[in-house]
Amino acid sequence: MEPDASIETSSMIRVAVIPISDVTPLLFREYAAMLLRHHTVSLNSISSFYTEHQKSPFAHQPWESGSLRFKFILGGSPPSPWEDFQSNRKILAVIGICHCPSAPDLRSVVDQFTAACKTYSSSLVQRCFAFCPGDSQLEDGSVKGSNLILFPPADRQTQEFHMQTMVQDIAASLLMEFEKWVLQAESGGTVFKTPLDSQASLSSEEVIKAKKRRLGRAQKTIGDYCLLAGSPVDANAHYSTSLELTRLTADFFWYAGAMEGSVCALLMDRMGQKDPVLEDEVKYRYNSVILHYRKSFIQDNAQRVSPLSFELEATLKLARFLCRRELANDVVELLTATADGATSLIDASDKLVVYVEIARLFGELGYHRKAAFFSRQVAQLYLQQDKKFAAISAMQVLAMTTKAYRVQSRASIGPSNDAGQTHADGGKVHHHSIVSLFESQWSTLQMVVLREILLSAVRAGDPLAAWSAAARLLRSYYPLITPAGQNGLFNALVNSAEKLPLGTRCSDPALPFVRLHSFPLHSSQMDIVKRNPAREDWWAGAAPSGPFIYTPFSKGEPNNSNKQELTWVVGEPVQVLVELANPCGFEVMVESIYLSVHSGNLDAFPVSVSLPPNSSKVITLSGIPTKEGLVLVPGCIVHCFGVITEHFFKEVDSLLIGATQGLVLSDPFRSCGAAKLKHAHLPSITVVPPLPLLVSHIAGGDGSVMLYEGEIRDVWISLANAGTVPVEQAHISLSGKNQDSVVTVASETLRSALPLKPGAEVTIRVTLKAWQLSKTDSDAAASKGMPGSSVRQAKDGSSPLLLIHYAGPLTTPGEPETVSAPPPGRRLVIPLNICVLQGLSFVKARLLSMEIPARIGEACSMQAQLERGNTEQVNSSERQADRLVKIDPNRGSWGLRLLELELYNPTDVVFEAGVSLDMENTNNQENLSDNISAEYGEPKTRIDRDYTARVLIPLENFKLPVLDGSFLGNSSQNNGTSGSRNNSFSEKNIKAELNASIKNLISKIKVRWQSGRNSSGELDIKDAIQAALQASVMDVLLPDPLTFGFRLAKTSSDDINVDSDVTSCESGDSIIAHEMTAMEVLVRNNTKEAIRINLSIACKDVAGENCMEGDKATVLWEGVLRGISMEVPPLEEVKHAFSLYFLIPGEYTMLAAAMIYDANEVLRARARSDALDEPIFCRGPPYHVRVSGTR
Amino acid sequence: MIVCLAVVGHENNPLYIQSFTESDDALKLHHIVHCSLDVIDERVNNPKKSSPTINEAFLGLLYPTENYKVYGYLTNTKVKFILVTTDLDIRDADVRNVSLLFFRKFHAAYVDAVSNPFHIPGKKITSKTFRERVSSIVKSFGLSSAS
């Protein structure tokens, strides 16, 4: 039984190729390869070497088209007992191969070759090819005439040509030898025997029988030689004779042999053409061959020898001949029959050959599973031999089956696996490996195969293969393996690793399972922002703009939303979280694990981990990018169980997907109790050149700043460049909640410090103003009764964020200018942790009016102020009224309006509150505002804890100097609805103007507070003031159309100006009874039009405070001056002098009043009268006059 | 006599394998079932000559091996039923009728089993009811073929 048997085998001349002297296997193989190319030599080409010594027995030799075929047997083979039966089994030629440099003595080479040829008694031609002879060897004449042929050193082509010539020479010699042999055999009495013929002494009867049979056998053998000589027609003639003869002698074995030969001759004659008729013929004849081989079975010597192997061989030859998909049924039938027959084969090696052939034929047919099944049978036969070489063979055969069983080693799959993953349109990911997961459920078979590979590898002494098999077994089938079995595999891994050199790599990963957990994002301190060089604000547009997660407009562009993108920076350490799982019952010591980087631009740092039985762990793997470009992190390199393996994330991902679909036995991570993890995608990672790195530090600690509501404080933030590239651009912006609490940011300081060199530092000032706690916050704080409860404020993200976008130079110095995308910038987020505590709280605001009549003849300084117009300031604070309240001597504080603010201090510190009015923007004189700020900055209201205090704000300052129609406009129609008059202006601009002036008014009122040494702030009470002023804003803002004032006229004769009046006033005299008192009434027109009036002045003695208003006042003395008609020009003052003569000393009240003629609309509106013809009556404030008695 | 029954999914993944022999030859039967997929693959890929009508689910005798004969049945969803029997001494036409009847019954049982809302398609069938039902079908088949 021989491997590779086919029908044509009968026509092949068997040539032994043996190494002579010292030839390294590699060289031998190389020289033999040169020889093997000449397996077919055409008769045409050898005719020049051929000389016809006698008449050739091959009468029909096709010299033009025929050829001789060689079967080179490297290393030779022992003679077969069936040589006589099938001549092609004889070694008919021997070719020695010698490498001259390693065999200096050519004589000994010749001797060795001659000795070697002795073992091939059947050989007819011997040649020894000596390659690369030295010059001395070439000249050595001693070997002339022997079989040694020297191949002079030459290039390969020449050598090949030389070789071809030599082979043709051999072919010609063989042909001549065949002729000789045939001529001899026809005449001579050669006896042909096979092991089937009984070896024992033949009985006389048998001898006669054998003689009878001899002729048929001789004819068959001659036919064989004809076939070898490449003459099928001659062969056929001899075979026909042989068939006749053997049939007559019932020599079935030889009959079958002759029939086989005839089929071969038929095929040779047809020159490889195949047609259905020929096929049927071959099939028919071979079936007869098989039948006759079976018939030749002799029970006697069945124990010793049997023609079964020839029967099977014939079956296989036929199967090989038919082996095509269309004829699969026939072939399968033949092969099944062969397989059944093989069980009764005696010789183990025969059995092996049969199984090998069956497996190969099935494989050729595309029946991979069957091929694998028979390969396994082969492997089992090998394993039964219990030899190392057999074990190696078993291992190799099993390795071939792994594909069919889907347990192949990753090394045999090759790198094409990477292309298996495709992204389908719907974003659904199809893993190539998932399909293979389906078939990986034949776990019973797969485990058996892997176990056999492990066994054979251990026996064959291949530790790497053993390690790989154990790793695959453990990794894929751990749930089916008992803990004891797992430990066994663990030991197998460790034992194999001990035999392996340190640092051996294996393509098949063992434990642990490694999956990608996540990529930690850059901390907000070192966020990377894409730079848009076209824009001034280059960071804009990099981040998704707008509140929408999904925009319909972005649909057109290639959307890989599940692919996040990561940017790493050269030189800055990066981290990747991976999760390891060990689902087995032993502890896994991972000696080192680090990221596997195929792009080679990341230095990964190894980590050592120990995983207890049935556990999982998330670990951080880090590395430093070294070069810009794309980074590919397909998995991890793991050094575990003494071998280095690469674990791909993708494989575990598909394993996990398979687990969810029920295709895989179990999810190793879940069985270890790891949390369920969303499928983490491998992002595309880009490494960019070094960037600057700003590090912020808040002076006074990074903790939160505790501020009372409204408190204003400066915070110093120092920024240092910790990178290796200068910061060339920087921009500060605000984000987050409560952005208005940041009053100013000294961005100029930062800008002026640019470029910020590596290592440089800059400190910027940020002014903060604490915001107001919302109602609920303060309530909650109050209910808890402790101010500390508002620490919560800092946590819930109500603090503003300071965003600093910064970037390095646009191009790196070494790079050419053509860089398309500039290096990205960065964003530093500095959270301004503000913890707002409840501070001074506002309770309510109220509008008060004060009614204290002015006194005539008070201090002169007041008169001086009077001269400046009636917009002068009279303010009061309740406590310091005496010192601070200045009352218009002409007008008094009659109708003076004050805003009262009630403040409450709920904290446990003392607050001091003060009111200031910022008058910068008013049309008041500048010196006046200076004056005021000086005067009002000082007084403070101290508010103790848990106390309430009131602060008064005078509003007189805000009176407009002129009563202008623009404010009232067409209000005459609806001036009856006084409460909502400012809402009812139809013209928007007027309303807006009014609102603006109200706003202006309100914004000028500032309640500043101070607590302790370094807390100060401002109370935000704008809304409260507005609410308080809402109703009477007109009265506060607008002046009366006419104002009246009284004064003493010192010298009635001359009209002195005010300044001299002030000086002459020094004497400070008072009014005395029984004297003529010269007085003046001053009427000022506050409108822009002249007003004609009828002025009247009344003087009453005072019994009560308010004698003017009530009817019930007891009036003892009264005098009225009436009917003074005058016209007051616009915005001017008119003086009317008069004299009074008091009879009785005491207190008197003087009151000026005027009747306005022809009032215009403005006046009407101001007076809130709706009747057109109704006279407008205008009245001044009361003035007190103290009349003393005699001097 | 029926030795083994197997259901193999459309991706050639085994869904159900049950053997009805006392001896411990599960591995051998697994191999037989696994190898029979070769023949099914071939018949599915070259349907023209193996099945006379297109809608024929019954694949007939797949291949004889050792002392077993393997029959196949292919559903519309490419789920394969594989039946391994010991040599039945019945003529081909009889085998065809009987085994077709058997496969129809088995198909119904399979459809009922995978109609279970808790069954995940592609996962191995672990239903006890299915197992019992298959056993009873096999038993009745053994009786009917014997009679």
Side-chain angles (χ1 to χ4, degrees):
Chain A
M1 198 86 189
E2 285 172 347
D4 266 339
S6 70
I7 295 178
E8 286 89 354
T9 310
S10 313
S11 65
M12 288 177 179
I13 303 164
R14 213 164 274 200
V15 180
V17 181
I18 49 174
I20 301 299
S21 186
D22 275 338
V23 186
T24 56
L26 199 72
L27 270 173
F28 177 68
R29 216 168 296 152
E30 197 184 309
Y31 291 136
M34 228 190 313
L35 189 61
L36 288 182
R37 221 166 294 147
H38 305 289
H39 52 79
T40 307
V41 178
S42 69
L43 287 172
N44 201 6
S45 65
I46 62 170
S47 53
S48 56
F49 299 94
Y50 172 79
T51 42
E52 197 171 16
H53 297 288
Q54 50 205 313
K55 192 172 163 30
S56 169
F58 309 132
H60 304 284
Q61 196 147 36
W63 280 100
E64 291 307 312
S65 58
S67 57
L68 295 190
R69 304 172 74 181
F70 292 107
K71 183 174 184 181
F72 297 104
I73 299 180
L74 297 189
S77 68
S80 155
W82 305 93
E83 272 180 5
D84 274 0
F85 177 58
Q86 287 175 332
S87 302
N88 65 299
R89 286 179 191 261
K90 287 179 190 159
I91 301 283
L92 293 169
V94 180
I95 294 176
I97 285 181
C98 168
H99 185 62
C100 289
S102 56
D105 185 7
L106 290 181
R107 274 243 70 85
S108 81
V109 170
V110 172
D111 292 345
Q112 281 179 41
F113 179 62
T114 315
C117 285
K118 288 236 170 72
T119 49
Y120 301 100
S121 54
S122 58
S123 73
L124 302 172
V125 175
Q126 295 98 20
R127 295 281 189 282
C128 184
F129 294 168
F131 292 91
C132 302
D135 288 346
S136 58
Q137 286 171 324
L138 279 173
E139 286 157 13
D140 187 359
S142 61
V143 292
K144 279 238 165 80
S146 70
N147 290 327
L148 192 69
I149 294 157
L150 295 175
F151 280 69
D155 59 4
R156 199 173 168 83
Q157 209 180 347
T158 319
Q159 264 191 347
E160 272 171 13
F161 181 72
H162 202 141
M163 172 75 85
Q164 192 186 355
T165 316
M166 286 305 138
V167 173
Q168 284 168 353
D169 176 45
I170 291 173
S173 312
L174 274 170
L175 186 58
M176 291 186 276
E177 290 293 331
F178 290 160
E179 284 172 1
K180 227 183 277 173
W181 192 94
V182 168
L183 288 173
Q184 191 189 338
E186 271 179 333
S187 57
T190 323
V191 177
F192 303 97
K193 267 195 193 167
T194 64
L196 274 181
D197 301 315
S198 49
Q199 305 285 310
S201 56
L202 301 168
S203 64
S204 58
E205 189 191 347
E206 278 171 334
V207 171
I208 299 161
K209 208 171 160 189
K211 272 184 182 165
K212 270 187 190 167
R213 287 176 173 180
R214 199 202 70 83
L215 209 56
R217 294 186 177 186
Q219 282 300 316
K220 193 251 168 207
T221 311
I222 292 168
D224 282 353
Y225 274 94
C226 291
L227 271 186
L228 293 175
S231 174
V233 180
D234 289 319
N236 207 25
H238 288 288
Y239 282 135
S240 305
T241 322
S242 170
L243 283 173
E244 289 289 316
L245 292 172
T246 47
R247 190 156 51 87
L248 287 173
T249 53
D251 197 358
F252 296 126
F253 190 66
W254 285 78
Y255 179 86
M259 185 78 93
E260 259 194 286
S262 75
V263 175
C264 181
L266 181 67
L267 289 181
M268 261 179 89
D269 201 28
R270 295 293 175 91
M271 305 291 282
Q273 295 165 348
K274 274 189 184 177
D275 55 69
V277 182
L278 177 71
E279 238 159 49
D280 284 346
E281 176 67 24
V282 170
K283 217 153 92 180
Y284 170 76
R285 286 205 206 172
Y286 250 95
N287 280 330
S288 141
V289 168
I290 294 162
L291 195 74
H292 282 95
Y293 274 133
R294 202 173 293 160
K295 261 193 195 168
S296 64
F297 181 77
I298 307 161
Q299 198 56 51
D300 307 350
N301 51 13
Q303 293 303 314
R304 187 171 52 83
V305 67
S306 132
L308 182 61
S309 63
F310 282 91
E311 181 194 335
L312 296 181
E313 200 173 85
T315 318
L316 286 173
K317 280 177 180 174
L318 180 58
R320 169 149 294 159
F321 177 72
L322 297 174
C323 189
R324 260 178 303 143
R325 277 205 169 248
E326 301 84 69
L327 302 172
N329 271 346
D330 296 340
V331 178
V332 168
E333 220 167 275
L334 287 171
L335 292 177
T336 312
T338 319
D340 286 344
T343 49
S344 43
L345 272 176
I346 307 159
D347 188 8
S349 71
D350 276 0
K351 214 186 256 186
L352 197 68
V353 171
V354 170
Y355 281 139
V356 167
E357 291 298 307
I358 293 174
R360 289 166 94 177
L361 288 172
F362 269 127
E364 223 163 284
L365 216 52
Y367 283 24
H368 297 295
R369 298 181 187 86
K370 282 220 150 180
F373 174 77
F374 283 104
S375 302
R376 219 192 115 239
Q377 304 277 341
V378 171
Q380 279 181 328
L381 287 175
Y382 273 127
L383 282 177
Q384 281 167 14
Q385 292 184 17
D386 207 20
K387 274 185 290 190
K388 190 176 169 181
F389 282 114
I392 292 174
S393 303
M395 198 181 79
Q396 285 168 345
V397 169
L398 283 171
M400 284 190 278
T401 68
T402 53
K403 188 163 179 258
Y405 291 116
R406 313 258 176 197
V407 287
Q408 64 259 66
S409 158
R410 209 154 65 184
S412 63
I413 303 173
S416 62
N417 199 24
D418 279 352
Q421 187 182 356
T422 52
H423 283 277
D425 281 10
K428 204 177 159 190
V429 181
H430 287 291
H431 288 274
H432 157 79
S433 37
I434 285 189
V435 178
S436 71
L437 285 177
F438 280 104
E439 281 215 51
S440 63
Q441 295 192 6
W442 295 94
S443 43
T444 325
L445 308 181
Q446 289 161 337
M447 282 170 68
V448 167
V449 170
L450 283 175
R451 212 172 284 156
E452 280 170 3
I453 292 177
L454 175 60
L455 182 69
S456 58
V458 168
R459 266 203 224 166
D462 185 342
L464 187 58
W467 197 94
S468 157
R472 276 180 276 168
L473 200 51
L474 196 56
R475 189 174 169 90
S476 306
Y477 305 104
Y478 67 90
L480 300 177
I481 303 173
T482 56
Q486 290 181 358
N487 274 325
L489 288 172
F490 172 73
N491 290 333
L493 284 172
V494 172
N495 291 339
S496 314
E498 275 170 10
K499 289 174 197 147
L500 286 168
L502 211 64
T504 305
R505 283 177 178 262
C506 180
S507 51
D508 298 301
L511 295 178
F513 291 90
V514 182
R515 72 169 161 185
L516 190 62
H517 187 269
S518 61
F519 285 85
L521 294 173
H522 285 286
S523 72
S524 58
Q525 303 293 313
M526 42 206 290
D527 234 352
I528 289 172
V529 181
K530 233 180 231 160
R531 183 138 67 150
N532 183 357
R535 296 179 62 161
E536 182 62 28
D537 47 346
W538 47 263
W539 56 93
S545 56
F548 302 108
I549 296 167
Y550 169 78
T551 26
F553 308 110
S554 67
K555 205 183 176 188
E557 63 198 43
N559 187 10
N560 257 348
S561 57
N562 54 354
K563 274 266 188 198
Q564 62 184 128
E565 289 196 2
L566 271 184
T567 310
W568 287 351
V569 182
V570 170
E572 286 180 25
V574 293
Q575 294 184 324
V576 177
L577 293 182
V578 296
E579 191 168 13
L580 310 181
N582 167 25
C584 290
F586 49 84
E587 185 175 359
V588 174
M589 266 301 301
V590 179
E591 283 149 65
S592 73
I593 173 170
Y594 54 93
L595 293 173
S596 116
V597 183
H598 287 185
S599 46
N601 51 355
L602 182 89
D603 283 345
F605 302 139
V607 181
S608 166
V609 198
S610 152
L611 288 163
N614 286 314
S615 70
S616 67
K617 235 180 221 179
V618 176
I619 61 165
T620 306
L621 298 179
S622 52
I624 290 187
T626 52
K627 224 168 59 192
E628 53 201 279
L630 282 174
V631 180
L632 291 175
V633 186
C636 289
I637 305 276
V638 175
H639 187 190
C640 191
F641 304 111
V643 170
I644 299 169
T645 52
E646 183 163 17
H647 294 235
F648 289 110
F649 296 134
K650 209 164 56 198
E651 285 183 3
V652 175
D653 284 344
S654 55
L655 184 76
L656 298 182
I657 291 171
T660 56
Q661 292 176 359
L663 303 177
V664 183
L665 298 166
S666 118
D667 179 343
F669 290 93
R670 199 185 298 175
S671 65
C672 291
K676 200 169 164 55
L677 187 69
K678 196 179 73 74
H679 181 65
H681 283 280
L682 264 179
S684 65
I685 304 164
T686 331
V687 176
V688 296
L691 298 180
L693 178 63
L694 279 185
V695 177
S696 73
H697 168 72
I698 297 177
D702 288 336
S704 57
V705 186
M706 304 275 265
L707 294 176
Y708 290 106
E709 285 172 297
E711 181 170 344
I712 298 169
R713 192 183 287 178
D714 287 349
V715 174
W716 296 90
I717 297 174
S718 71
L719 300 168
N721 185 0
T724 54
V725 174
V727 179
E728 297 211 338
Q729 297 179 354
H731 179 269
I732 301 178
S733 57
L734 288 171
S735 164
K737 290 181 178 171
N738 292 312
Q739 287 185 24
D740 50 358
S741 64
V742 178
V743 180
T744 57
V745 179
S747 41
E748 298 77 26
T749 321
L750 178 60
R751 214 166 295 140
S752 62
L754 293 177
L756 201 62
K757 291 260 173 339
E761 192 170 346
V762 65
T763 305
I764 59 170
R765 191 185 66 166
V766 176
T767 309
L768 299 177
K769 182 183 175 202
W771 60 88
Q772 296 292 312
L773 292 175
S774 66
K775 200 77 184 164
T776 51
D777 286 340
S778 54
D779 282 355
S783 68
K784 281 180 186 164
M786 47 190 294
S789 65
S790 52
V791 171
R792 174 177 56 94
Q793 285 284 312
K795 282 179 197 156
D796 59 13
S798 57
S799 297
L801 304 168
L802 208 58
L803 298 183
I804 302 182
H805 289 92
Y806 61 97
L810 269 172
T811 48
T812 43
E815 296 278 313
E817 293 288 315
T818 53
V819 178
S820 53
R826 286 199 126 140
R827 179 176 53 201
L828 170 65
V829 178
I830 308 171
L832 297 166
N833 286 326
I834 303 174
C835 176
V836 178
L837 303 176
Q838 199 183 8
L840 207 56
S841 69
F842 168 80
V843 181
K844 65 179 172 188
R846 224 166 12 149
L847 199 62
L848 300 175
S849 66
M850 201 166 139
E851 297 181 338
I852 303 168
R855 220 172 258 277
I856 296 175
E858 292 266 281
C860 286
S861 61
M862 293 185 187
Q863 273 197 321
Q865 288 206 341
L866 163 75
E867 294 305 317
R868 292 179 183 174
N870 59 355
T871 56
E872 85 192 89
Q873 316 306 313
V874 181
N875 294 289
S876 77
S877 158
E878 213 167 40
R879 304 229 170 134
Q880 291 125 323
D882 292 343
R883 189 157 61 86
L884 289 169
V885 174
K886 289 173 185 147
I887 294 171
D888 177 357
N890 268 2
R891 193 165 174 249
S893 61
W894 195 261
L896 201 64
R897 290 182 195 265
L898 297 165
L899 187 65
E900 185 198 64
L901 300 177
E902 194 173 331
L903 302 175
Y904 174 63
N905 177 8
T907 67
D908 47 4
V909 290
V910 174
F911 278 90
E912 283 187 338
V915 176
S916 74
L917 299 167
D918 292 341
M919 305 305 285
E920 291 89 13
N921 296 329
T922 61
N923 51 0
N924 258 313
Q925 295 87 338
E926 284 178 15
N927 60 343
L928 192 63
S929 70
D930 287 345
N931 196 9
I932 284 160
S933 54
E935 247 177 306
Y936 290 92
E938 202 180 333
K940 299 271 189 205
T941 311
R942 182 186 155 96
I943 311 172
D944 285 329
R945 48 176 296 198
D946 288 338
Y947 273 88
T948 306
R950 293 191 173 85
V951 178
L952 286 178
I953 304 168
L955 298 177
E956 215 62 12
N957 309 319
F958 303 107
K959 267 221 160 87
L960 297 169
V962 179
L963 178 63
D964 197 345
S966 63
F967 287 128
L968 299 165
N970 56 354
S971 60
S972 55
Q973 289 99 347
N974 49 11
N975 49 10
T977 59
S978 60
S980 62
R981 74 190 298 122
N982 57 344
N983 291 333
S984 60
F985 289 122
S986 60
E987 290 167 53
K988 275 188 178 169
N989 57 341
I990 291 175
K991 188 178 177 183
E993 205 175 330
L994 188 69
N995 280 338
S997 62
I998 295 169
K999 281 245 173 68
N1000 188 25
L1001 185 153
I1002 291 165
S1003 67
K1004 278 178 207 154
I1005 304 173
K1006 299 241 160 114
V1007 180
R1008 296 218 167 85
W1009 54 261
Q1010 195 171 358
S1011 173
R1013 192 176 295 167
N1014 49 14
S1015 296
S1016 66
E1018 201 174 294
L1019 223 52
D1020 181 31
I1021 48 168
K1022 284 194 171 77
D1023 293 342
I1025 295 175
Q1026 186 153 16
L1029 292 180
Q1030 199 68 46
S1032 50
V1033 69
M1034 297 304 283
D1035 289 338
V1036 172
L1037 272 179
L1038 298 179
D1040 294 329
L1042 295 171
T1043 46
F1044 305 93
F1046 292 97
R1047 70 176 178 195
L1048 294 173
K1050 271 296 123 190
T1051 44
S1052 52
S1053 56
D1054 50 6
D1055 250 344
I1056 51 162
N1057 63 19
V1058 174
D1059 290 337
S1060 64
D1061 202 285
V1062 170
T1063 50
S1064 66
C1065 191
E1066 294 292 314
S1067 53
D1069 56 345
S1070 59
I1071 301 161
I1072 299 160
H1074 304 292
E1075 247 180 49
M1076 205 57 157
T1077 313
M1079 293 185 85
E1080 285 171 344
V1081 61
L1082 299 162
V1083 182
R1084 186 184 160 82
N1085 183 357
N1086 288 327
T1087 68
K1088 285 178 174 171
E1089 285 167 43
I1091 299 175
R1092 285 196 305 116
I1093 54 166
N1094 184 0
L1095 179 73
S1096 60
I1097 300 163
C1099 181
K1100 295 177 180 180
D1101 76 325
V1102 179
E1105 274 296 306
N1106 198 3
C1107 60
M1108 290 298 160
E1109 301 282 330
D1111 299 330
K1112 289 171 188 168
T1114 323
V1115 179
L1116 297 178
W1117 309 96
E1118 183 177 9
V1120 180
L1121 187 67
R1122 246 193 220 107
I1124 311 160
S1125 283
M1126 55 168 71
E1127 183 168 326
V1128 192
L1131 298 175
E1132 271 186 40
E1133 212 170 45
V1134 171
K1135 223 187 301 180
H1136 177 77
F1138 63 96
S1139 297
L1140 282 177
Y1141 187 84
F1142 292 98
L1143 294 173
I1144 297 164
E1147 291 273 334
Y1148 293 85
T1149 302
M1150 295 193 69
L1151 189 72
M1155 203 75 137
I1156 299 173
Y1157 302 116
D1158 307 331
N1160 58 14
E1161 282 192 355
V1162 177
L1163 293 175
R1164 263 179 219 291
R1166 181 71 183 96
R1168 296 170 194 174
S1169 94
D1170 36 6
L1172 266 176
D1173 49 349
E1174 192 184 322
I1176 306 272
F1177 189 69
C1178 201
R1179 199 174 64 179
Y1183 281 75
H1184 276 204
V1185 182
R1186 177 181 289 269
V1187 180
S1188 43
T1190 51
R1191 254 179 224 234
Chain B
M1 195 198 134
I2 292 173
V3 182
C4 176
L5 252 178
V7 180
V8 179
H10 68 108
E11 295 285 358
N12 288 339
N13 48 325
L15 297 175
Y16 182 82
I17 294 188
Q18 189 179 358
S19 60
F20 302 94
T21 53
E22 273 79 48
S23 54
D24 183 26
D25 52 0
L27 181 64
K28 192 161 98 187
L29 292 171
H30 268 82
H31 270 299
I32 290 170
V33 171
H34 187 246
C35 288
S36 67
L37 293 175
D38 274 334
V39 188
I40 294 178
D41 272 359
E42 200 235 312
R43 296 217 182 158
V44 170
N45 294 334
N46 312 315
K48 54 184 189 297
K49 94 180 171 60
S50 49
S51 61
T53 53
I54 296 159
N55 292 327
E56 179 70 274
F58 183 56
L59 296 171
L61 178 67
L62 297 178
Y63 73 111
T65 173
E66 295 171 45
N67 27 9
Y68 302 113
K69 280 188 173 166
V70 186
Y71 295 88
Y73 184 91
L74 181 72
T75 70
N76 288 333
T77 53
K78 300 263 191 284
V79 173
K80 295 119 195 163
F81 300 151
I82 292 162
L83 171 69
V84 183
T85 63
T86 48
D87 235 341
L88 291 170
D89 199 17
I90 313 172
R91 278 176 294 116
D92 192 46
D94 292 344
V95 172
R96 186 175 183 81
N97 293 337
V98 172
S99 52
L100 189 54
L101 188 72
F102 170 80
F103 274 127
R104 293 241 165 95
K105 276 186 181 173
F106 185 66
H107 195 174
Y110 169 76
V111 167
D112 286 351
V114 294
S115 302
N116 181 350
F118 297 103
H119 172 77
I120 301 169
K123 229 176 171 175
K124 292 198 176 181
I125 301 170
T126 50
S127 158
K128 209 182 275 175
T129 321
F130 181 67
R131 180 168 287 266
E132 281 162 11
R133 194 162 156 194
V134 168
S135 299
S136 74
I137 294 172
V138 167
K139 215 172 276 171
S140 72
F141 177 73
L143 288 174
S144 67
S145 69
S147 61

